[in-house]
Amino acid sequence: MKIAESWLREWVNPDLETEALGHQLTMLGHEVDGIEFEGHGIADVVIAEVTSVAKHPDADKLSLCKVNDGSGELVDVVCGAPNVVQGMKAAFAKPGVTLPNGVKLRQAKIRGVVSNGMLCSSLELGLGAESDGILCLPESAEVGSSLVGFLDLPDAVFELSLTPNRGDCFSVLGIARDVSALTGAELKIASGVSVVATIEDTQSVELVEPAGCPRFAGRVIRGIDAQARSPIWMTERLRRAGLRAISPVVDITNFVMLELGQPLHAYDHSLLKGTIRPRFAKAGEKVTLLDGKEVDLNEDTLIITDDSGPIGMAGIMGGLTTAVSDATTDVFFEAAFWPQEFMAGRARTYGMHTDASMRFERGVDPSGQGRAVERATQLLLEIAGGDAGPLLDQMDENHLPVSSPVTLRKDRLRRLLGLTIADETVVQILARLNMKVQSTVDGWVVLAPSYRFDIAIEADLIEEVARIHGYDSIPETTAYSQIPLATVTESRVDMEQVAATLIARDYQEVVTYSFIDATVDAAFTGSESQLVLSNPISSEMAVMRASLWPGMVAAAAANNARQQDRVRLFEMSKSFHGSLSAHTEVLRIAGLASGSVNPEQWATASESVDFFDIKADVEALLALTSGSGEFDFIAARHRALQPGQTAEIVRNNEVIGVVGKLHPTLAKLFDLKRSVYLFELDAAKALATTPAVAISVSKFPAIRRDIAVIVDDKISADELLAAVAATSPELIQGVRIFDIYKGKGIEAGRKSVAMGLILQETSRTLTDDDADKVMAAAVKKLKDQFAAVLRD
């Protein structure tokens, strides 16, 4: 919001220079984004009258003007402005004057004609951004007098960044109140004016929606001078506030809105049809606004109607059918109170943002409507004459907001601000903010004025005391606290590392509910949960989960239902077991994979994920520990998994998790068409680790020897690898299965397993004899333990 210093000082005039005043505004919470200084450098610019205008002989867009600058002789000036006309008053700069833009004027010959000075535009004078013509001054401007004196310059304009909760400060009066409270300077022109009615004409109003419009003030003014023009002091204040002057009636509504914070609207009274009724829009209703745009109204939008239908959008913009014009002689001023809850977001719904809607969204004083109409009436009668009817001020007190007392405790004030403020100082600050204060033993009971609707809790009052006392008056204190260093352990893998590993393998983390349906829980665990909630949100959230799988499977089903066929999810959270009196919580890591192994691409054929894909993901997690050789995958059965594709994960003979394919019954229950593979680990048991032990790297070359044996089909690969590795652990550095074959040449029920042995010593180079002995020992052990037959 822009506010002129001269206007503000008419309300409150503290003993502060401009920059100091700007600083104090910022300290009050009304941040000053910038200060624009106007009128500096134009002290030598005078008011002149254009006595004649003729065409330039050699330029179609230039005019030859005779200008009376009060010196007694007419001055020849070449002017290129399109709006220059005979008889107008304008700003004139003589040769030798330096303008705010740095241009120093001199006598110049323009297209063969000598020009002795310049008729200036607002832009050239630093008084605005318009440069489409010279500055046109009213007829009352005295020729030869100083322009800065006539326009009440120099002046400063504060650009304020106001917080949304301070709707009362979107006005000169609101800012003046705060400045007065801070500095102790007297608040002037605080009392409203009352206009005596000279006619009895009124406009009938019916509050049919008192919740949406609990107060409606207005007044009829007849017989105004349609040819009247807004005075220069008003147009200048509007300009410095960023608004363009239009006509006296419109300018007055804008002026009062800026001054008092209450938006107004002016109707051409002769165009109103019957009773005005503020109400909610009905389906299918439309209204044409002042900007000519026709709007389809929503049913949650408050509108203003008369007997002809909608004539405006409440608190946003008036309608075109009842708009004032240059021919208007009878005016009806309206100032209504539209509650915030009915205005918030309404303008944005229609892609609009107006000065009025912005103020109503942030809050308007519910007691200021009559005062605003009185002020507008006073100004209109002074500028355009006419006769005023009685003030109409209808209200429904049951729907008007009422301020509630708020308790402020001395101890709470001291603890939040970190200092002790004298009781009398606190009372004085609150009183200067027009709050009613009643002292108690522990503090005060405070009632805020109607325009301070942001005062609702104790912290709001503490903020007010801090603002007026001065944030920079609060002493700086350094807080000290002991922050113990977290214990860094090497006994377990960090959960963030687990998450990072799964994310790197294309999994996405989910968070599912700990409450699930009792039937679903039993379907996954095979037993009824004893952890039943006494007051569940719904029947589908009746028990505490014993597994993370139900929520993850439901998430996968939701993704599949939305054409997301490739799903990889993981969750790290707790499962719950036991009874209500003796329950346990286990931190688990669970994962789910379904769909294709890799995202669809042209270079690779699509292949669906299988048991070994998710097993590899589990092995990647277990590899984070130092005991990767301690884990075994053993075929098992699980209630929720398909037989034949299920394995328990065992560490040192203790089951720490399970992996496998979702049972078809459960897949059908969740309407899953694709195969789903799951794993779940006990985090504490699976991620336990010890510090890594460094081993020396042999400088001698390794030898690889391959063997292929035929064994019974039921013998697992792990058993074969363990047997071979144990034959000569000091030389065998690794054993790898590189081929498994069943088919022609192999007896039914048997399989051929080909293994590669990596042999290496740290102190010498191995010989063929060493390798032959290791191979012979390995073959013998396989024959003895598994009845293996060496394959040719």
Side-chain angles (χ1 to χ4, degrees):
M1 185 184 81
K2 289 185 175 183
I3 181 170
E5 181 183 8
S6 60
W7 197 356
L8 178 61
R9 288 189 183 274
E10 284 192 3
W11 285 84
V12 60
N13 190 15
D15 187 17
L16 295 171
E17 297 296 329
T18 301
E19 289 79 4
L21 178 58
H23 173 72
Q24 292 300 331
L25 286 171
T26 296
M27 296 308 295
L28 277 168
H30 313 312
E31 184 177 357
V32 177
D33 288 338
I35 304 177
E36 297 178 6
F37 293 93
E38 296 190 349
H40 292 285
I42 58 173
D44 295 330
V45 177
V46 299
I47 298 172
E49 180 180 6
V50 179
T51 59
S52 67
V53 178
K55 285 290 184 182
H56 191 290
D58 295 325
D60 293 338
K61 294 183 179 181
L62 296 179
S63 301
L64 302 181
C65 304
K66 294 287 186 179
V67 174
N68 175 15
D69 65 352
S71 62
E73 296 183 5
L74 296 181
V75 180
D76 293 323
V77 176
V78 177
C79 179
N83 66 328
V84 62
V85 294
Q86 181 178 346
M88 73 180 298
K89 301 286 183 69
F92 177 65
K94 301 177 181 178
V97 171
T98 301
L99 297 177
N101 59 10
V103 175
K104 184 174 182 179
L105 300 180
R106 57 182 179 83
Q107 188 181 68
K109 182 176 289 187
I110 303 175
R111 293 289 182 95
V113 178
V114 176
S115 180
N116 298 287
M118 174 188 289
L119 295 171
C120 303
S121 68
S122 297
L123 181 64
E124 291 161 339
L125 295 171
L127 302 179
E130 295 183 5
S131 61
D132 54 347
I134 59 176
L135 177 63
C136 182
L137 299 173
E139 293 181 4
S140 59
E142 182 181 348
V143 173
S145 62
S146 169
L147 177 68
V148 295
F150 182 72
L151 296 181
D152 191 23
L153 294 171
D155 198 2
V157 178
F158 297 107
E159 179 78 37
L160 302 180
S161 179
L162 301 175
T163 54
N165 66 311
R166 293 303 305 274
D168 63 301
C169 286
F170 283 85
S171 64
V172 178
L173 173 59
I175 297 297
R177 287 189 185 118
D178 265 10
V179 172
S180 175
L182 176 69
T183 64
E186 179 188 359
L187 183 66
K188 306 173 184 178
I189 324 178
S191 59
V193 295
S194 295
V195 176
V196 178
T198 55
I199 57 175
E200 297 182 356
D201 297 39
T202 60
Q203 168 63 43
S204 60
V205 176
E206 183 180 354
L207 302 182
V208 295
E209 295 282 359
C213 181
R215 190 163 195 169
F216 192 102
R219 172 176 267 145
V220 175
I221 299 98
R222 293 197 182 280
I224 67 170
D225 181 5
Q227 304 303 315
R229 293 292 175 264
S230 299
I232 189 67
W233 62 265
M234 178 177 288
T235 60
E236 269 297 289
R237 287 183 177 175
L238 292 175
R239 181 191 65 78
R240 295 173 201 179
L243 297 181
R244 181 174 59 88
I246 298 174
S247 68
V249 175
V250 176
D251 294 346
I252 287 169
T253 61
N254 287 331
F255 181 87
V256 174
M257 177 186 69
L258 293 172
E259 185 178 61
L260 303 180
Q262 170 65 50
L264 294 93
H265 184 64
Y267 301 87
D268 187 323
H269 190 255
S270 65
L271 301 178
L272 289 172
K273 309 296 181 184
T275 301
I276 288 179
R277 297 180 181 86
R279 62 170 173 81
F280 285 103
K282 300 176 182 178
E285 284 189 313
K286 300 181 179 181
V287 64
T288 302
L289 300 177
L290 290 172
D291 58 3
K293 179 182 177 182
E294 185 178 66
V295 175
D296 294 317
L297 298 168
N298 301 327
E299 294 182 41
D300 64 347
T301 301
L302 284 166
I303 59 172
I304 303 170
T305 69
D306 62 8
D307 292 348
S308 65
I311 57 173
M313 295 175 68
I316 300 176
M317 188 181 290
L320 187 62
T321 59
T322 57
V324 295
S325 66
D326 292 340
T328 298
T329 57
D330 298 337
V331 174
F332 177 66
F333 279 129
E334 165 248 299
F337 174 68
W338 313 103
Q340 289 174 271
E341 58 266 30
F342 294 97
M343 296 304 300
R346 296 300 188 275
R348 290 189 295 275
T349 302
Y350 298 92
M352 301 169 63
H353 179 77
T354 64
D355 289 329
S357 69
M358 181 266 292
R359 285 169 171 79
F360 282 117
E361 286 180 354
R362 287 158 175 76
V364 168
D365 183 1
S367 67
Q369 290 67 45
R371 179 181 183 179
V373 173
E374 292 278 22
R375 177 65 167 148
T377 304
Q378 174 204 14
L379 291 170
L380 185 58
L381 294 180
E382 290 177 357
I383 295 170
D387 294 296
L391 175 68
L392 165 74
D393 191 359
Q394 287 188 220
M395 71 182 79
D396 186 322
E397 294 186 356
N398 294 328
H399 291 90
L400 283 172
V402 179
S403 299
S404 299
V406 180
T407 299
L408 174 58
R409 295 167 291 175
K410 298 177 184 178
D411 181 63
R412 184 65 173 166
L413 176 66
R414 178 186 59 78
R415 285 191 291 116
L416 275 187
L417 296 187
L419 78 161
T420 300
I421 301 177
D423 292 357
E424 56 271 19
T425 302
V426 174
V427 173
Q428 184 183 29
I429 288 173
L430 296 175
R432 292 203 320 239
L433 289 167
N434 294 327
M435 298 185 187
K436 296 179 180 178
V437 185
Q438 181 179 351
S439 297
T440 64
V441 175
D442 299 325
W444 305 271
V445 176
V446 182
L447 183 65
S450 60
Y451 56 81
R452 288 306 303 271
F453 31 80
D454 59 310
I455 305 297
I457 60 176
E458 186 178 31
D460 297 330
L461 292 174
I462 295 173
E463 180 186 8
E464 292 303 295
V465 173
R467 283 196 318 120
I468 304 304
H469 183 268
Y471 293 120
D472 50 355
S473 299
I474 299 175
E476 180 180 345
T477 56
T478 303
Y480 295 94
S481 64
Q482 292 184 350
I483 305 176
L485 294 175
T487 302
V488 178
T489 179
E490 293 184 329
S491 62
R492 59 181 173 79
V493 177
D494 188 76
M495 295 296 282
E496 291 187 4
Q497 190 176 359
V498 173
T501 300
L502 289 170
I503 291 170
R505 299 181 75 86
D506 214 12
Y507 282 78
Q508 297 184 36
E509 186 173 9
V510 296
V511 178
T512 62
Y513 286 109
S514 297
F515 312 140
I516 64 173
D517 182 85
T519 304
V520 173
D521 185 70
F524 275 86
T525 63
S527 60
E528 293 186 4
S529 174
Q530 298 182 45
L531 301 177
V532 181
L533 301 182
S534 59
N535 186 24
I537 299 174
S538 69
S539 60
E540 296 178 350
M541 295 184 173
V543 301
M544 303 297 290
R545 66 186 178 191
S547 170
L548 276 57
W549 285 348
M552 299 181 68
V553 172
N559 276 273
N560 285 175
R562 290 161 179 79
Q563 293 82 46
Q564 301 300 315
D565 296 329
R566 186 175 184 272
V567 179
R568 285 174 176 255
L569 308 174
F570 79 93
E571 182 172 7
M572 300 185 298
S573 190
K574 292 180 178 179
S575 61
F576 305 87
H577 312 272
S579 62
L580 290 174
S581 59
H583 74 279
T584 59
E585 301 178 8
V586 180
L587 180 62
R588 298 190 182 277
I589 305 166
L592 177 149
S594 179
S596 60
V597 176
N598 298 307
E600 184 177 2
Q601 58 170 307
W602 62 270
T604 305
S606 179
E607 182 179 351
S608 296
V609 66
D610 60 18
F611 176 88
F612 295 103
D613 292 312
I614 197 165
K615 178 175 177 285
D617 295 330
V618 175
E619 288 176 329
L621 291 182
L622 301 179
L624 297 175
T625 71
S626 61
S628 57
E630 301 171 357
F631 299 98
D632 293 306
F633 290 81
I634 300 175
R637 298 182 67 86
H638 190 281
R639 168 84 179 186
L641 302 178
Q642 181 174 319
Q645 295 204 49
T646 302
E648 289 181 338
I649 306 167
V650 179
R651 184 177 196 179
N652 296 329
N653 299 319
E654 182 182 11
V655 177
I656 63 165
V658 64
V659 60
K661 180 181 178 182
L662 182 66
H663 199 285
T665 303
L666 291 175
K668 184 176 181 180
L669 176 65
F670 285 89
D671 195 26
L672 289 164
K673 302 297 189 294
R674 291 177 173 268
S675 297
V676 173
Y677 293 87
L678 304 160
F679 73 82
E680 191 170 60
L681 299 171
D682 182 318
K685 296 177 180 178
L687 300 181
T689 186
T690 57
V693 177
I695 60 173
S696 60
V697 177
S698 177
K699 62 181 179 180
F700 300 100
I703 299 175
R704 172 170 174 150
R705 291 293 180 89
D706 296 340
I707 58 172
V709 293
I710 299 173
V711 297
D712 192 275
D713 195 24
K714 294 180 180 180
I715 298 173
S716 68
D718 280 346
E719 292 176 297
L720 296 174
L721 294 174
V724 172
T727 58
S728 186
E730 69 282 359
L731 296 182
I732 300 177
Q733 301 300 316
V735 184
R736 304 167 186 169
I737 295 178
F738 62 87
D739 183 56
I740 297 177
Y741 172 73
K742 298 178 186 178
K744 187 176 180 181
I746 303 298
E747 184 180 349
R750 307 272 284 177
K751 61 184 176 183
S752 170
V753 180
M755 293 174 283
L757 283 66
I758 308 300
L759 311 178
Q760 192 175 36
E761 235 281 359
T762 58
S763 60
R764 63 186 179 88
T765 301
L766 294 178
T767 64
D768 287 341
D769 288 341
D770 294 326
D772 292 342
K773 289 178 181 179
V774 172
M775 293 295 290
V779 171
K780 183 178 185 302
K781 189 163 187 177
L782 292 174
K783 287 181 178 180
D784 294 342
Q785 191 169 340
F786 304 111
V789 176
L790 190 63
R791 185 181 177 192
D792 296 334

